[in-house]
Structure formats: structure tokens, C-alpha cells
Amino acid sequence: MYQVVPGGAGGTITDGVPIKKMDKDSRPLVGAGVFGAILVIAAVTAWCYYIASLRKADLLKTELLDLNKDGFLIRNQAGGIVLKMGFRSGTLDLDSCSKEGVILRCSRSFAGKVNFFIMTVKPKETVMCYRVRWEELESERPVEHAMSYNESHWYGGAETAVQHWPIAISGQQAPKPFVTSDVYSNRHDFGGILERYWLSSNATAIKINDSVPFHLGWNDTEKTMYFQARYQDSPYKPAPGRPPYAELSYRVCVGPDVTSIHKVMVRRYFPKPNKVPAKEMFRHPIWSTWALHKTDINQEKLLTYAENIRKYGFNCSHLELDDRYTRQYGEFEFDTQKFPNASAMFQKLKADGFLVSLWTHPFVNYDSANFGPCVQKGLFVMEPTGQLPALVKWWNGIGGILDFTNPEARNWFTSHLRSLRHTYGISSFKLDAGETSYLPWQFRTRVHLPDPSTFTRRYTEMAIPFNERAELRSGYSSQNISCFFRLIDRDSVWGYELGLKSLIPTVLTISILGYQFILPDMIGGNAYANRTDGNGKLPDRELYIRWLELSAFMPSMQFSIPPWEYDDEVVAIAQRFTELHETLVAPRVIELAGEVLDTGDPIIRPLWWIATSDETAYRVDSQFLIGDDLMVAPVLEPGKQERDIYLPAGRWKSYKGERFDNKEPIHLTDYPVDLDEIAYFEWVQ
């Protein structure tokens, strides 16, 4: 049975009259007078310094911010310190500082001339924001500020291989480029979906400006994150004709609570989608060939896969034909040995009610028939001299990578995708890769890229003509692309490193970063060799079921390894949860998706969204909300058919029909959840 726990100077004047010589008795009086004058002068001098110091002290305060030579701190309306920022790369010369209205400005550090200012902005009555800028004017040295995160929980930043909620910092890391990377292959890098934005439980948010050559580091012993701007030993490049003088600029905003301040930041600083993807993608599962067949896919296997979807009574948003249907990478014609009659195949799939999307990527391998023409046309990212294409290595070989800052390369790529759509009736595309980790360390593009992650943004724009059903796995300032963003490939394991436990923290993280149309990758993971809990071919059966149950409460579901690869019971569970997704989850998600266009608010929300004053809610990483009124608590541990559940204050009804009317948060300890169940609670009006 589960348990509820209530949680001078003198001078000589001569006018021709002889001066009488002092007698000995008057000399002490004169000495005393001189001494008194000195004391008066000293007192006046001290008073002047005191007044000057008071004036200088006034200059170092603005609203709720205190500035000193080594950094600044910000307080909330109640007087509590919510942010401490230290200047690691230099100290300010306070004698160079002045206050001009809402701006504190300094012109020197002890190392040379700088352009430093803090500008106060009050976007609404309950919110205070500060624009901070430190720009070096004489030196190429880096600019580095250190943010203390003591006594607060932080969220945001980037998708990572080991994902925790809130951010869990371990070890020490010198500042490194904050750019998009494939974290499946580079597990210590930042991920493919990344934004320069962080949010804390003490209602403070920080956003680094786009113009900054930004590097991020940390030290878990000092409980500090390092924000650094530099051009040396970095893929960032200054604008043409400008010296490589670093500039670190960012905005800090403080509000009444974490939810309110996040809403302010999203509305002011994030682009938003301008349309909602196809509603069928929210209602019905996507079926991909990848995890089941990998590159060993052909016409017969695809048709059989589609037949079985219908045979076992499942709906389908669309079929996703993944790697590899072409003869070489970088080509767009079907391999006739694997697909002897592609036209007839697509006609049959259409007749059977299936839409089909195709996998694609930004690479053209050197052995592709398209490599030579692309070199001649100058469509690739180039090496720094601009004379030769930069060859890159990716998971399927070596080749060139298309330069999406080049209009000709964009047109070449898009024309091939449109041709596939016209010839075969392809519904859309899965655009894989796009991370800057696949660019050379030094490179040249048609349009100068001060920030290499802008390449990711340009690649994601290729999805716009197909965004009804398009799928991306990388994003940088790409929230307005208006298509689904997929988590990086998951391993078929239980843990936080690209496993089942990483799903909720990753979805919550990219939701906070403004990406709301989320595809949580394939149910059960990708079943890669040596990275699969189970018999080696299939993911562990219990893992698959728990993954399925969690996916049913995500914005979209995606199968690859089908439930009929297991047994009839797994098929029955899958049928029940795809129906539950369609009837309970999808209507809510579609309604919330429409609101995203105006607000940018998350569809999948952390528990603190509705419990901003509850410390426990800031640490829960295994539960989430859909909107404000549906709370989900999946089982994420092997061998468990119970779990502890945190229930925020309110009136809730469980999926079993139990009612909870709690004025304070409660914990349900050892709450029973069978293998074919997932715990969820609906808000009762």
C-alpha cells in the first residue's frame, strides 16, 4: 500500500614698514596657530575625500545592482542576492566610472581601455533587466566573467549526452566554444540543439548576445560557470576589417518567480513558430526503418513493414525511409538494386494510405557522382584560403559539406528534394546532422560566419518548404522553423547517458530553450551494438514497454522496432497507449501548440511551472506536466512496479480514479504502477 507524506600656507607681507621682531613669549602662540591651521586643512581634506567617496559609492549602485571593481551582484525586490558575477579577466578602475541616467559606464580597467557599461531596463513593473557589456579596446585578451550558482538550480543551455534536470555540473572545464555538436559521437561536447540562455530557480535569467564569441566553462568546486569571449584558439572569427578584440555582452533579468521571468524572456528574445506542423504528427505515430533495418533497407522490407503496421491495427502519421536508399551518399536517385521499382512501390504505399518521408543530410561523399559538379560550382564549405573544398569526415564516410550560406548551394539542395517530392509524391524529409562539429576547425563560407553555429541555423532553414512533416535534429535560433525537432539518437539503455532516464531532462531542457514541437526519438532507442540493454538484437522488453508508455505522453510518438517483434502482450500494450495518446494527449498538445505561436510557452513543462515556491519541485527530473493540468510520472527503473510521486498542491484525479485535494504538496511513496501502466494525474476543476 502506498503512503501519503505531507511533504597654507603662510606668507610675508612687506609695505616698507619695519616689522617688529617677536619676543620669545609670543612664539608658542604662533606655533599653536600654525598647528591649528594644519589640523583644519587636514579635516577639510578628509571631508572632501569622504564626500567624494560617497559620491563614488552612489555611482556604483543602480536600482538593485551593486558594482565594484571585481564584479557585481543583483538583488531581488526582497533584498536577497540572486546573482553574483565576478570579473576574472580584469578589474575595473572605478575612477573611470560615471553614471548617466540608467547607465553605469567605465572607460578603463587596470589593464587598459575598455568599453564597460551596465544599463538598467524595466520591461514591466515586476521585472528588472540589466544589459551588461565589457569590450576590450586595446588588447586581444579574452574577457571572462564568472557566475556563481550557489544555492540555486539552473536550467537551459544545451542538449547534452548526459542530461540532468536541473543542470548537474561536475569536474572542471576551461571555457570551450559554445557551438552545436553531435553529442552521440562527441559525448563531452554541447549538443545539436543549443541556445545561449539559462534560467534559475531564484527567478533570474541570463542570455548571452549573439555577437559574442562565446565560450563556456565551469568549476564544480567553486560552484561557478565561466562566461568567456575570445577569438584566439577558437572557431569564432571577428567581422572582416575589425580587430580581434573580444566583447562579452549579455542580459540579466530578475522577476517575481521563475515561471514569470521565463515568460518575459521568451516573449522578448526568442523567435517563435509561425505555424503548427501537421496535426497527424501529433495524433499518430511515425514509423521509421532505421532502428529495425539500419542501412539494410530495401523495397521488399519497406513494403512488409507497412503491411505489418496495418495488420496489427496501428495508425501511421507517415513512414520514414531512412539511410540508405541511394547508391552513394550525396546522390538523390534510388539504388535500383535495392529498390528495383521505386515508382510502383510509392504508388502502392499511397494506395494503402501511407505518406512517406525520406532521410537526407548535408554531405556529398567524394565517391558520389555529384561530388565533382559540386566542386566545380563551388557549392561546398571551403578551406581557409577559399581555393579548395574542405573535406570532412562524418559517420558515413568522407566528403564535402554543402555551404548553406551560398544561395546556389541552397537552391541545388532544395531542387533535388523538390524533384523527389514531385517524382514520387514524397511528403517530407528527415534532415539529419547540421551540427558545427562537422565543419573543419578553420573554414570559409560564401557569407562570413562570425559564429559557426549560424551554419546550423542556415541548415535548418532548408526544412521550411517541407515543414508540415519535416524533422530536424539540430537547432540554433531556429525556434521559428515551425517543424519537429528530434532528440539526438538514444541508446537502448535505462540511464541518464542517452538512455530512458535522459528523455524527460532533455525534453524539458529544449522546451525551456524554445523548441516545443519535440520528437523524443525512437521508442526503445536505436538498438546499436554494445549499447543495448537486452539480447543484443532487441532492446530489453521491460525497457521497451516503459519507453513506449513515456513516449505516449510526448508531443509525438515514433516507432522503429515494432511491438510485434516481441509478443502479443507488447502489441496489446502498444495498441492501448497509441490510442491513449490519440484521445487524451494529442488534443491537449494540439491546443497548446496553437498557443506556442503567440506565447512560446512550453508544451511539456517542469513541475515548478505551477509550483514556483516549492523547493522540491525544482529538483524533480522524472515527472512533467502537459500544459498545467496533466501531470505524468512514468516508471524509469528496471524491475520496478511502484514509484514515489510528488504531487503539487491542488485538486487532482489519478488515472485510477483516486482523488487528491491537497492544500500543500504531498509525496505518494511506493505508489503502485504495473508494467502495463503509467501514472498520470489530471487537474480537477
Side-chain angles (χ1 to χ4, degrees), residues 154-158 165-167 193-200 204-207 258-259 261-263 265-267 269-271 479 504-516 518 600-609:
W154 285 85
Y155 313 90
W165 180 270
I167 295 171
I193 298 176
L194 166 153
E195 299 293 335
R196 304 169 166 199
Y197 173 71
W198 289 268
L199 177 70
S200 85
T204 305
I206 183 167
K207 191 174 190 305
V258 62
T259 303
I261 196 62
H262 178 66
K263 289 183 176 183
M265 298 299 286
V266 169
R267 284 153 178 75
Y269 301 123
F270 285 5
Q479 297 93 335
I504 296 174
T506 308
V507 170
L508 290 174
T509 296
I510 66 175
S511 292
I512 288 298
L513 298 180
Y515 297 86
Q516 311 308 342
I518 300 170
D601 290 345
I603 294 173
I604 305 299
R605 302 172 180 177
L607 296 195
W608 52 251
W609 193 266

Side-chain angles (χ1 to χ4, degrees), residues 133-300:
R133 179 187 179 105
W134 183 308
E135 180 184 11
E136 290 289 340
L137 299 178
E138 296 179 329
S139 171
E140 298 180 6
R141 61 179 169 268
V143 180
E144 185 174 322
H145 293 179
M147 182 185 75
S148 172
Y149 58 86
N150 277 341
E151 302 175 2
S152 58
H153 307 293
W154 285 85
Y155 313 90
E159 178 185 21
T160 55
V162 180
Q163 199 91 49
H164 292 283
W165 180 270
I167 295 171
I169 291 176
S170 62
Q172 300 178 17
Q173 173 63 55
K176 61 182 182 179
F178 193 70
V179 296
T180 58
S181 180
D182 176 355
V183 290
Y184 195 86
S185 301
N186 309 289
R187 299 206 172 194
H188 297 289
D189 286 354
F190 306 111
I193 298 176
L194 166 153
E195 299 293 335
R196 304 169 166 199
Y197 173 71
W198 289 268
L199 177 70
S200 85
S201 57
N202 58 18
T204 305
I206 183 167
K207 191 174 190 305
I208 311 296
N209 287 356
D210 295 342
S211 59
V212 175
F214 182 53
H215 300 68
L216 179 68
W218 56 83
N219 187 317
D220 69 341
T221 303
E222 298 177 355
K223 305 298 181 186
T224 301
M225 293 173 65
Y226 303 139
F227 299 152
Q228 186 191 77
R230 77 169 191 262
Y231 289 110
Q232 296 77 21
D233 188 29
S234 172
Y236 294 98
K237 293 172 284 188
R242 296 197 60 177
Y245 296 164
E247 165 226 326
L248 179 60
S249 56
Y250 49 91
R251 292 168 170 83
V252 180
C253 291
V254 181
D257 61 74
V258 62
T259 303
S260 298
I261 196 62
H262 178 66
K263 289 183 176 183
V264 169
M265 298 299 286
V266 169
R267 284 153 178 75
R268 288 176 65 87
Y269 301 123
F270 285 5
K272 298 170 188 63
N274 54 33
K275 61 184 291 189
V276 176
K279 292 181 179 179
E280 289 79 4
M281 288 190 69
F282 296 98
R283 294 190 180 112
H284 302 146
I286 300 163
W287 297 79
S288 169
T289 63
W290 173 248
L292 181 63
H293 294 297
K294 303 295 191 295
T295 59
D296 191 28
I297 185 65
N298 57 38
Q299 182 169 325
E300 181 183 358

Side-chain angles (χ1 to χ4, degrees), residues 8-19:
T12 301
I13 302 175
T14 58
D15 57 3
V17 180
I19 298 175

